[in-house]
Amino acid sequence: MVLLVCLPRLLGIVYIPHTQVGIIEKIWSSKGSLREGQIIARNGEAGYQARFLRGGIHFGLYPWQYGIHKDPLVVVAGGKMAYVYARDGVPLEPIQTLGRTVDSNHFQDAMRFLETHGQRGRQRGILREGVYAINLALFVVVTEERVFSGPVRESADRYESWKAQLASMRAFDPVVIGTGAGGQSYFRAGITETSASEAGSPPSLAAATPDFNPNVDTIGVVSIQDGPT
């Protein structure tokens, strides 16, 4: 019985459930090890690989050469946002706080992120509500519910602290620009309550905020705290 369970893995066959991704860790490689400061292998070196496995059956991943770490898909709840930290990439400039935005299919293409000079550290780009297949060896995703930190062995305190800081600022909620007697907070609360009561139905602005006036324009003023001066 044990042999039947272990045989597929010994033959290099790996099954990834469709609710997970498989992070590939190459145990040894003829191409050597990663350079100092690198976390993700781009060219087949030993270490965590840029490519990862989506749900399904995969072949050629023999256990004496590859370790497979199964991690959940990243889920961002409806009406919420998530924040991303990159463990690898080009270092930030001294004047930067956030990494520049690069085309990486919402952080789902780790190789493209690295090849287009994505930067390590906290990212300017965010994730909106949805389900994402992300290489959690490269990226850490912070949602309101949890921190998706993947298989890398490191202290999670820094990310939990960031999560608490974001929660204290209500930074997981999108900013809504609108009018109403109660102001923006009243508007946001009304939307939340209406969404819950209607079991997923799109909330009506009129129902959520009786004082909402669609004929009055409202603007939001944005102050940028990062980037060239």
Side-chain angles (χ1 to χ4, degrees), residues 164-207:
Q165 181 185 19
L166 292 168
S168 69
M169 298 185 295
R170 298 189 64 184
F172 295 107
D173 297 320
V175 174
V176 179
I177 306 298
T179 60
Q184 180 180 318
S185 297
Y186 173 83
F187 181 85
R188 180 181 289 160
I191 290 289
T192 303
E193 291 167 3
T194 304
S195 298
S197 64
E198 295 182 5
S201 300
S204 164
L205 292 180

Side-chain angles (χ1 to χ4, degrees), residues 98 124 221-229:
L98 303 173
R124 186 176 300 166
V221 179
V222 179
S223 176
I224 305 297
Q225 302 183 39
D226 184 49
T229 57

Side-chain angles (χ1 to χ4, degrees), residues 3 6-14 24-30 45-47 59-68:
L3 181 60
C6 297
L7 185 59
R9 186 69 186 96
L10 293 173
L11 295 175
I13 302 171
V14 174
I24 303 172
E25 183 178 8
K26 202 168 189 179
I27 300 170
W28 63 269
S29 172
S30 60
E45 305 94 336
F59 302 91
L61 298 165
Y62 299 101
W64 52 86
Q65 186 173 18
Y66 296 98
I68 306 299

Side-chain angles (χ1 to χ4, degrees), residues 100-117:
R100 71 173 70 93
T101 301
V102 298
D103 180 16
S104 60
N105 188 23
H106 307 292
F107 303 103
Q108 295 181 107
D109 191 333
M111 182 62 80
R112 189 189 302 177
F113 176 87
L114 296 170
E115 289 179 343
T116 53
H117 308 293

